[in-house]
Amino acid sequence: MSFCSFFGNEAFQNHFEPGIYVCAKCGYELFSSHAKYAHSSPWPAFTETIHADSVAKRAEHNRPQALKVSCGRCGNGLGHEFLNDGPKPGQSRFIFSSSLKFIPKGKESAASEGH
């Protein structure tokens, strides 16, 4: 069952360069490229966040195996965490669409100076 619509031009679908993914709204660090893995959905999939407070999660009543995820700093809606749907047993899968911005490795500090 799919919970989100696919548009055909999802950013970062096949993007595996080293770096970090930040909130497109406030620039807070969310995911490392080391936590990204190939998945059948057109959106990037991650297994873990950079910081314990990178994201905030809340249950969705009609989706018992999914949590709504937002930026831990600004509250920007990011996507979903699908419980026990990661690449290894017991891992969750985070998926997001246009809510992310990629910062290439080596440019992380320059990107966060304004935040």
Side-chain angles (χ1 to χ4, degrees), residues 38-114:
H39 190 270
S40 60
S41 82
W43 292 296
F46 302 89
T47 56
E48 62 188 2
T49 60
I50 290 179
H51 307 289
D53 68 346
S54 288
V55 299
K57 306 172 191 180
R58 67 177 169 80
E60 289 196 306
H61 302 291
N62 60 338
R63 297 180 185 159
Q65 293 298 316
L67 301 173
K68 188 74 173 165
V69 178
S70 58
C71 175
R73 178 188 281 168
C74 73
N76 184 34
L78 298 173
H80 292 89
E81 176 181 0
F82 294 95
L83 306 174
N84 299 312
D85 191 30
K88 296 179 184 173
Q91 278 187 327
S92 291
R93 170 176 55 107
F94 294 90
I95 64 164
F96 305 101
S97 56
S98 61
S99 305
L100 300 178
K101 178 180 174 186
F102 178 74
I103 309 296
K105 184 176 181 176
K107 305 216 183 222
E108 297 96 331
S109 60
S112 62
E113 288 176 358

Side-chain angles (χ1 to χ4, degrees), residues 12 20-25 27-28 30-31 97-104 111 115:
F12 311 123
I20 61 170
Y21 294 82
V22 301
C23 174
K25 185 174 180 181
Y28 193 48
L30 302 174
F31 301 98
S97 56
S98 61
S99 305
L100 300 178
K101 178 180 174 186
F102 178 74
I103 309 296
H115 300 286

